[in-house]
């Protein structure tokens, strides 16, 4: 835990927290969360109604994947809709905190430098994992999407995934972490509270059954690693890069057969409620969090 609680290592975090000081009241944070939820709801309804009007009910149903997003187009649409969260944060910052959006990301030049440095390191790590045995991680890979279709969808898919992961990092490691850190100086609070909320947001008892708590705990640990690397970096660049790397592999290359498998080149037939199967994957996923966290720290030298 000392690696996560080294206060000297978090000196760069003040760059992100300073703009939040002066509007750190809890009531403002609550207002901001309500505004984010309201913006997402209103824009979602407006966009969906506009699409129904333009495309008709039948085409719209296929677009959103009425039976669950499983086609390339429906998955891209679902991931892109996370952009509404980012718009919600922009509104919350302006209305509830009277601050701009740019400072939430950190210095733009440093953001880009750190983002690409981490992307390069994690690309090398993932390439090594892909090339080295065992290639199927102990589970048979099943072809999921024709290569030509996958290749055609790839540019749009990468943009959609970037929108999705950026939105989550902006909400949890950006807005929530910064505003909480401005109010409470203890890292125990501003590291753990957003991470716990991130884990809670991944609690899916309907899909995962008894595994829901374990998967939510994994998401919470992932959130904690992203919170730590953000505090070390002083920008959201590394956290977005790690999240992008993780989701790109899980969504584009090898995906569990579920509603998000429509963009994957290969899939693994696993039921998230299958305790034995998921228990075998979780240690690997925890190890990937550790490797990604260490790789990002190496890339930014912090």
């Amino acid at each position: 835990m000392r690696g996560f609680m080294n206060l000297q290592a978090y000196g760069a975090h003040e760059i992100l927290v300073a703009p939040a000081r002066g509007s750190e009241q809890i009531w403002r944070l609550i207002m901001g969360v309500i505004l984010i939820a309201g913006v997402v709801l209103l824009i979602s309804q407006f966009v969906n109604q506009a699409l129904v009007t333009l495309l008709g009910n039948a085409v719209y149903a296929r677009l959103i994947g009425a039976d669950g997003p499983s086609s390339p187009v429906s998955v891209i649409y679902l991931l892109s809709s996370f952009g509404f969260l980012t718009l919600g944060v922009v509104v919350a910052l302006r209305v509830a905190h009277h601050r701009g959006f740019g400072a939430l990301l950190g210095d733009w030049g440093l953001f880009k430098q750190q983002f690409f440095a981490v992307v390069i390191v994690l690309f090398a790590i993932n390439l090594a994992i892909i090339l080295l045995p065992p290639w199927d991680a102990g589970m048979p890979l099943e072809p999921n999407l024709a290569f030509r279709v996958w290749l055609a969808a790839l540019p749009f898919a990468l943009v959609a995934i970037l929108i999705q992961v950026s939105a989550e990092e902006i909400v949890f490691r950006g807005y929530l972490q910064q505003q909480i850190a401005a109010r409470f100086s203890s890292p125990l609070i501003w590291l753990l509270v957003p991470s716990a909320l991130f884990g809670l947001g991944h609690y899916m008892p309907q899909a995962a059954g008894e595994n829901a708590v374990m998967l939510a705990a994994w998401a919470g640990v992932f959130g904690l690693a992203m919170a730590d690397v953000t505090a070390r970096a002083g920008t959201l660049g590394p956290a977005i890069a790690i999240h992008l790397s993780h989701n790109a592999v899980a969504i584009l290359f090898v995906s569990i057969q579920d509603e998000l498998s429509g963009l994957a080149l290969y899939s693994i037939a696993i039921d998230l409620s299958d305790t034995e199967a998921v228990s075998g994957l979780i240690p690997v996923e925890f190890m990937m969090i550790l490797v990604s966290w260490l790789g990002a720290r190496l890339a930014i030298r912090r």
Side-chain angles (χ1 to χ4, degrees):
M1 189 68 177
R2 289 182 63 188
F4 278 99
M5 294 300 296
N6 185 347
L7 296 182
Q8 292 182 343
Y10 293 157
H13 196 226
E14 180 61 24
I15 299 171
L16 295 172
V17 178
R21 301 193 191 281
S23 64
E24 69 271 22
Q25 297 87 349
I26 295 299
W27 68 266
R28 291 183 183 274
L29 179 61
I30 295 173
M31 178 191 294
V33 171
I34 293 172
L35 283 169
I36 292 170
V39 168
V40 170
L41 180 62
L42 288 174
I43 295 181
S44 296
Q45 290 182 337
F46 174 80
V47 170
N48 289 337
Q49 187 55 54
L51 289 173
V52 169
T53 302
L54 291 172
L55 303 176
N57 287 318
V59 176
Y60 172 74
R62 289 196 298 272
L63 172 65
I64 64 170
D67 297 326
S70 57
S71 71
V73 173
S74 61
V75 176
I76 288 172
Y77 174 76
L78 175 63
L79 295 172
S80 299
S81 67
F82 276 75
F84 303 154
L85 274 173
T86 300
L87 292 177
V89 171
V90 172
V91 172
L93 288 172
R94 179 58 60 190
V95 175
H97 303 281
H98 309 295
R99 53 179 290 211
F101 177 75
L104 183 135
L105 300 175
D107 177 78
W108 183 238
L110 183 59
F111 176 101
K112 290 188 292 183
Q113 176 186 331
Q114 293 177 335
F115 174 85
F116 287 112
V118 174
V119 164
I120 291 170
V121 169
L122 295 187
F123 177 81
I125 291 173
N126 281 289
L127 182 62
I129 292 172
I130 291 171
L131 294 178
L132 295 174
W135 297 281
D136 59 2
M139 298 181 182
L141 300 181
E142 300 179 6
N144 185 69
L145 200 63
F147 181 75
R148 59 181 179 82
V149 176
W150 179 84
L151 196 60
L154 185 59
F156 306 99
L158 286 172
V159 171
I161 295 172
L162 181 59
I163 290 172
Q164 180 249 324
V165 301
S166 296
E168 291 190 348
E169 293 306 318
I170 285 167
V171 170
F172 290 96
R173 265 63 69 179
Y175 178 68
L176 290 176
Q177 182 168 319
Q178 290 171 23
Q179 289 300 142
I180 293 174
R183 176 63 180 82
F184 302 98
S185 60
S186 172
L188 281 175
I189 299 176
W190 54 259
L191 283 175
L192 294 178
V193 171
S195 302
L197 293 173
F198 185 73
L200 185 62
H202 289 76
Y203 179 66
M204 305 175 293
Q206 297 86 354
E210 295 181 359
N211 294 324
V213 173
M214 182 166 49
L215 293 173
W218 171 86
V221 172
F222 180 86
L224 182 60
M226 298 307 98
D228 174 81
V229 79
T230 296
R232 293 174 183 275
T235 82
L236 292 187
I240 292 176
I242 296 173
H243 208 153
L244 175 65
S245 172
H246 177 273
N247 282 22
V249 172
I251 294 174
L252 295 178
F253 294 95
V254 181
S255 176
I256 294 174
Q257 288 182 350
D258 60 9
E259 68 274 8
L260 284 176
S261 61
L263 287 169
L265 197 56
Y266 295 97
S267 65
I268 301 176
I270 293 179
D271 188 336
L272 287 178
S273 63
D274 186 334
T275 302
E276 182 178 354
V278 172
S279 296
L281 283 178
I282 284 295
V284 177
E285 293 297 324
F286 275 114
M287 184 57 66
M288 284 305 302
I289 293 176
L290 177 60
V291 170
S292 298
W293 176 68
L294 291 173
R297 287 188 57 183
L298 175 65
I300 64 174
R301 301 296 196 275
R302 290 179 183 175

